[in-house]
Structures are given as C-alpha cells and as structure tokens.
Amino acid sequence: MTNPQQPLSDVLYWLALEESKPTAALIDEYRERFPEYAEAITEFALELAVDALRPELTDFDVETVTAPPSTVVLKSISHFQNTRYQVAKERRVNDAPSISEAENALPIANPFSKLNVDQFRRLARDLDTTSIFVAKLRDRQIVPASIPPAFTQRVATKLGVPVDLVIAHFFAKETQGPTRVYYKAVDKPTRQPQETFEEAVRNSNLLSEQQERLLKH
Amino acid sequence: MAKRLTKETKNGSTYSRPAPVEVNIDGAINQPLEVIRQRLQVVSGTDPDFLTSECIVHLLRQATNAGDEERLAVLHEFLMRRVDRILVSKIRDSDMPNAEEVRLEATYDLDVLIARRSADLDFFEVRFNMALRNLYIPKLRNARQRPPMIPFADQDEDPDRDVSLQETSALSVDIVAAIRSLPPDELEAFMLIEGGYEVESNDPQKTTAATICGVSGRTIRSRQARAKEKLAALLKDHKP
C-alpha cells in the first residue's frame, strides 16, 4: 500500500508514467485514491492529454548530436555547473567542522601541488592561459567567488580531479608561505591581496584574445 | 548489473526498468568514455549501439557518484541535446511567445535533479520521455498566464462546426497550439468531455465534468461550445 502522505510530485510522476493516456476512468481512479490532490491531478491529466496529441520522439536526427549546441543546451551546461557548485557549497556549510575541529583539521590538498614544471606549463597551455595565471590559481590569489564555475570545471577536468576538490582549494584559507626561504630583497615578500578573476586575467601577461576567451566563461 | 531503483509505484512495489533499458545499461556501464562518446553519436533507436535516454540518466548518476567530471560533462551535454530536441517538438514557438523560456526552465529543473542526485531520477530511468513531462507541463501552465496569441473568430461564426480531438490530431500541429491557448476553464471543459466525462448526471455520487469543475452542467456546455467555436475557426483557417 502507498503512504497516505505520498508527495504530490510522486503521484504526478505515476500518472505520467501510466501506459495509457489519461481517460476519465484513470483520472477518477487517481482522484479517488488521492482526494487531497484531486484538482492538481485533473489539471495535470488534461495537460497530458493535450501533450499526447503531439507524437513522441523515438529517434533523433544527426543534427541533434553534431550541430553546435543550441542556446538552451549551452545555458543548461552552465546552469548545471552552477548548481553543482552550489550543492558543493551547501554540503561544505552543512559539514562545516566546529572551530576546534577546524583548528586540528588537515589543510585541504592543493590539487596543483603534485604538478612538476612540465605538467604545470602544460596545464597553462591546456587552459589557454599563462603560467603566471595558473600560479595565481595555485596560490589562491583570485577571489574564489569571482571564478566562473565553467572555468573551475575546466580546471578540474584538466587536472583530472573532482571539481569539488578544486572548489574546496579555491575557497580554502590562505596557507602560510614557505618558512625556510632566504630573500635577497631587504623586505620579506608579503601576501598580495586577492584579485578578482577579471583582474587576474588582465594582469597575467595574457594575449588580448586569450583574455577575451577567458572572460567569456 | 545496474543498481536497483528505490522509487515505489502507486501500488507500493518498487519500480523496475524495462528489460531493454537494463540490457542497454549493462552493456554500457563499464565502457570507457571514448566508447560512450561514439555510442552517443548513434541517433537511431533501432541501432544496437544506441544509448537510450534512460541509460544515459543511469550513467550520469553513476558518474556523479564517482566524481568522474569528464564523463559527467560529456553525458550531460548529450542528454541535454536530446532534451532540447524533445522539448522543441513538444513546445513549439507557435504555442506561446515565451516557448524557449519554458523549454529552458524545464531543462534547468532536470539539471537540478541531476546535480542534487534526486531520487526522482528513478522515474527517468523507467520512461524518460514520460517523466520529462512532469518538468515541462507545470511550466506550460504557468506560461499560459498571457493573452491568446491566435486571433479567434467571432463567437457566432460557424457555431455548428463540431470539433473533436480525433479530428484535430490528424491536422496541423497549430491545432495543439490553439488548444493550449484556450482559457483554462474552456480547455478544462473541452478536455474533460473529450476524455469521456459526462457533462452532468442526476446521480449525485457520479463524477462528471460539472462536479470536477464545481459549476453547473449548463456552464460546462457553454465553455465547451466556446472552445469548439474557437477551434472550429482555426480549422477553417487551416483547411487547404
């Protein structure tokens, strides 16, 4: 037996997945079974009946898979990445450790730290950027909220790590700089304030075409 | 073997995927991304390499759980290409001025289900196209809050012209746009009668179009007549 508190969305999914298109008998069955949703069931069933007047697509044309993605598809890709980013952020907030736990917690792994010089340069090339720009990503020199999710996704893909890890790295607290380093300059270098993504793009020796491509994200 | 679904049917049993979907998933589940990419290029449903949309949803869920970003990105794009194609066939620009917006909103809803790993995706692994209707139909209803696009004829024109769904289904798709553009009360009366409900009954226990709409039988007849008149005017316009 079904739960009397069955959510309306489940009931409407059941109706949509019925083998036959909505008839008076079917609508009556649902209305009697879920009287609290009677109005919504009727409205939805009528829409299903109108919808059934248009044939169902069973095959796709070649254009579906070869043509450049439509505006709707492009927007959906971007929206999907934004939503995943949001979900990851919510998860971090919900799973946030207490202050004492945070103090004892291990630092978040830097996904760039495993790269050797050649891999680092190759990553810069793959991202259509410069080593300076990638160094800013590595060193969290960019305001994380200003980094477009689509770009974060690309970084994760090129690094071969989950996007959540890259997001966590960008949002992690700034790490301490190297301690046993001697500097020729009189003053020890201080950490620069973070730049926005756009500022970082503008200030990383990128060609103007590269800048444009990056800012399109 | 694919993980079992958890959503229940209206009878309390657990949903199961149709056998061809299970076979499709079993064949694809461990294939490398390059092979999946090639299979996503297959567009004919009769080709054995064709990946059903139900199977793509399963692979997407698997990639999400595994954190396989590259696989996820490829599968998502191809699924959305299909969704866009389906929605263009179901919600045409002639239906309403903001048809693309409606299509986009429905697509966004599916994005959210995938990103949030919603259990509702079980329905999409059973009958994808059918489940997709649960996303776009509510958007269609909301979008209907606008003046009719189609200039209807005067109500006294051709009043005896009878229109049925059997007739309209064989005609231009613009008829569907016309039905969708009917005011809600007329659409409701028209579709209830077409769906087999009696207008009214002497039996107070019987469910009729009048009891569903909470109005008299006379009002139902009047709404139905107005709907038919509008559709008749359109049929006349579309006759060769």
Side-chain angles (χ1 to χ4, degrees), chain A residues 169-194:
Chain A
H169 164 70
F170 287 157
F171 275 88
K173 280 172 69 179
E174 292 179 8
T175 50
Q176 293 244 315
T179 50
R180 294 191 178 190
V181 177
Y182 296 96
Y183 301 97
K184 286 181 181 173
V186 177
D187 296 325
K188 201 169 118 178
T190 53
R191 182 171 285 282
Q192 296 297 309
Q194 285 185 315

Side-chain angles (χ1 to χ4, degrees), chain A residues 116-128 131:
Chain A
N116 62 32
V117 175
D118 287 342
Q119 289 169 327
F120 193 83
R121 286 183 184 144
R122 195 177 315 132
L123 175 65
R125 219 171 28 245
D126 289 349
L127 292 173
D128 194 18
S131 295

Side-chain angles (χ1 to χ4, degrees), chain A residues 31-90:
Chain A
R31 285 171 58 91
E32 279 165 25
R33 206 157 165 182
F34 307 103
E36 67 276 30
Y37 302 139
E39 196 177 330
I41 287 167
T42 309
E43 285 177 359
F44 187 70
L46 297 181
E47 295 288 348
L48 287 177
V50 177
D51 183 80
L53 294 173
R54 286 198 171 140
E56 292 301 325
L57 263 189
T58 49
D59 283 358
F60 297 92
D61 48 21
V62 177
E63 208 177 297
T64 307
V65 292
T66 56
S70 68
T71 313
V72 167
V73 172
L74 286 174
K75 285 184 177 174
S76 164
I77 290 170
S78 170
H79 178 260
F80 181 56
Q81 287 164 343
N82 287 339
T83 309
R84 292 197 71 226
Y85 174 81
Q86 184 64 35
V87 170
K89 210 161 81 174
E90 286 167 11

Side-chain angles (χ1 to χ4, degrees), chain A residues 1-3 6-7 9-20 22-34 39 42-73 75-81 83-84 86-87 90-91 153 156-157 161-164, chain B residues 7-12 15 40-41 43-46 50 53 64 67 69-70 72 76-78 80-82 84-86 89-92 94-95 100 103-104 107-108 111-117 120 123-124 126-127 129-131 133-138 140-141 144 165 168-169 173-174 176-177 179-180 187-188 191-192 195-197 207 211-212:
Chain A
M1 283 301 290
T2 52
N3 181 341
Q6 203 69 43
S9 64
D10 275 10
V11 175
L12 297 185
Y13 271 115
W14 293 336
L15 187 53
L17 265 63
E18 289 283 355
E19 291 293 333
S20 62
T23 57
L26 188 67
I27 298 172
D28 279 351
E29 182 199 324
Y30 273 80
R31 285 171 58 91
E32 279 165 25
R33 206 157 165 182
F34 307 103
E39 196 177 330
T42 309
E43 285 177 359
F44 187 70
L46 297 181
E47 295 288 348
L48 287 177
V50 177
D51 183 80
L53 294 173
R54 286 198 171 140
E56 292 301 325
L57 263 189
T58 49
D59 283 358
F60 297 92
D61 48 21
V62 177
E63 208 177 297
T64 307
V65 292
T66 56
S70 68
T71 313
V72 167
V73 172
K75 285 184 177 174
S76 164
I77 290 170
S78 170
H79 178 260
F80 181 56
Q81 287 164 343
T83 309
R84 292 197 71 226
Q86 184 64 35
V87 170
E90 286 167 11
R91 204 178 304 140
Q153 176 66 60
T157 304
V161 298
V163 73
D164 291 358
Chain B
K7 278 285 181 187
E8 290 184 349
T9 66
K10 67 178 177 185
N11 298 321
Y15 265 110
L40 287 167
Q41 300 289 331
V43 290
S44 168
T46 54
F50 180 76
S53 301
T64 311
E69 297 301 326
E70 195 177 358
L72 186 59
H76 177 262
E77 180 188 329
F78 274 85
M80 289 309 153
R81 281 171 177 264
R82 286 190 187 182
D84 187 34
R85 183 73 190 80
I86 294 168
S89 77
K90 286 291 192 177
I91 308 166
R92 307 206 173 171
S94 57
D95 287 0
E100 182 167 312
R103 296 195 290 264
L104 186 62
T107 312
Y108 279 179
D111 284 337
V112 172
L113 292 184
I114 299 168
R116 294 197 176 277
R117 306 180 193 187
D120 283 0
F123 298 117
F124 292 80
V126 177
R127 296 180 78 186
N129 287 21
M130 303 293 106
R133 300 189 295 182
N134 284 59
L135 302 187
Y136 65 79
I137 281 179
L140 274 173
R141 287 192 69 80
R144 200 171 288 130
L165 287 188
T168 59
S169 62
V173 289
D174 283 340
V176 178
I179 293 172
R180 282 185 170 155
L187 181 138
E188 196 171 29
M191 294 301 294
L192 285 172
Y197 280 102
T207 306
T211 62
I212 287 175

Side-chain angles (χ1 to χ4, degrees), chain B residues 150-151 157 232-240:
Chain B
I150 303 158
E157 186 179 335
L234 277 156
L235 285 173
K236 197 174 166 189
D237 289 347
H238 280 80
K239 284 222 161 161

